[in-house]
Amino acid sequence: MTEENEWGLRPLAPGEVNRLRELAAAATADLARSGLVIFDQENPHWETSAGGLRVEVDEFDDAAGGIWLHWEVHPSLREATSGALLGQRLDDPVIETAGRIHEQMASAILRMLGALGYVAEVSDDDYRPFAIKVLSAAI
């Protein structure tokens, strides 16, 4: 049995972590073969990369755990959106534009996963807006 960490989160069992990582790798490979660019946050130049699909494996045993796919826009749009939010310019058109792009890409990624035989759903997690949660590969 795994112990909770200092924030009260319990890590998944090693077998479940391996299953998630394998599923994430398979889904990522299939989406890359379909033409999506995979955004590599491990790349030291990730902040200036053109964007693409970011894959997150949350290895904790809670409702937020699992495989999450996030669309990352070009750095210029990320910076403009962040600047508008930090400047409290909530009516800046760049915020709406970025939101529409994220919404449309989430929809497209969800449809692509379905075509590839995966079961996935749109996030209802406030901390992961527009994310896609990969649940399983269809049998």
Side-chain angles (χ1 to χ4, degrees):
M1 182 169 172
T2 55
E3 297 293 321
E4 289 183 359
N5 66 15
E6 60 198 70
W7 299 287
L9 298 172
R10 185 181 314 275
L12 290 168
E16 181 62 10
V17 170
N18 287 338
R19 184 193 73 77
L20 282 179
R21 288 181 182 168
E22 288 172 6
L23 179 58
T28 300
D30 284 340
L31 290 167
R33 280 192 294 276
S34 299
L36 289 183
V37 173
I38 306 305
F39 182 82
D40 183 5
Q41 210 164 350
E42 299 300 316
N43 177 339
H45 306 290
W46 71 269
E47 290 179 333
T48 57
S49 71
L53 186 69
R54 179 170 55 88
V55 180
E56 171 193 6
V57 179
D58 184 324
E59 300 177 359
F60 290 101
D61 189 10
D62 62 1
I67 302 164
W68 296 94
L69 306 178
H70 309 265
W71 186 254
E72 297 290 343
V73 296
H74 190 273
S76 62
L77 184 55
R78 284 196 305 265
E79 290 170 18
T81 305
S82 293
L85 291 169
L86 290 172
Q88 297 182 1
R89 298 185 314 275
L90 302 181
D91 58 346
D92 191 315
V94 74
I95 295 171
E96 185 178 340
T97 297
R100 283 195 316 265
I101 291 168
H102 281 99
E103 183 178 52
Q104 292 299 314
M105 287 306 300
S107 178
I109 293 164
L110 186 62
R111 289 192 312 274
M112 289 175 75
L113 286 167
L116 292 165
Y118 291 89
V119 177
E121 63 187 20
V122 176
S123 171
D124 64 356
D125 184 336
D126 291 341
Y127 294 104
R128 292 181 174 106
F130 307 111
I132 300 297
K133 186 171 188 177
V134 179
L135 302 173
S136 65
I139 299 172

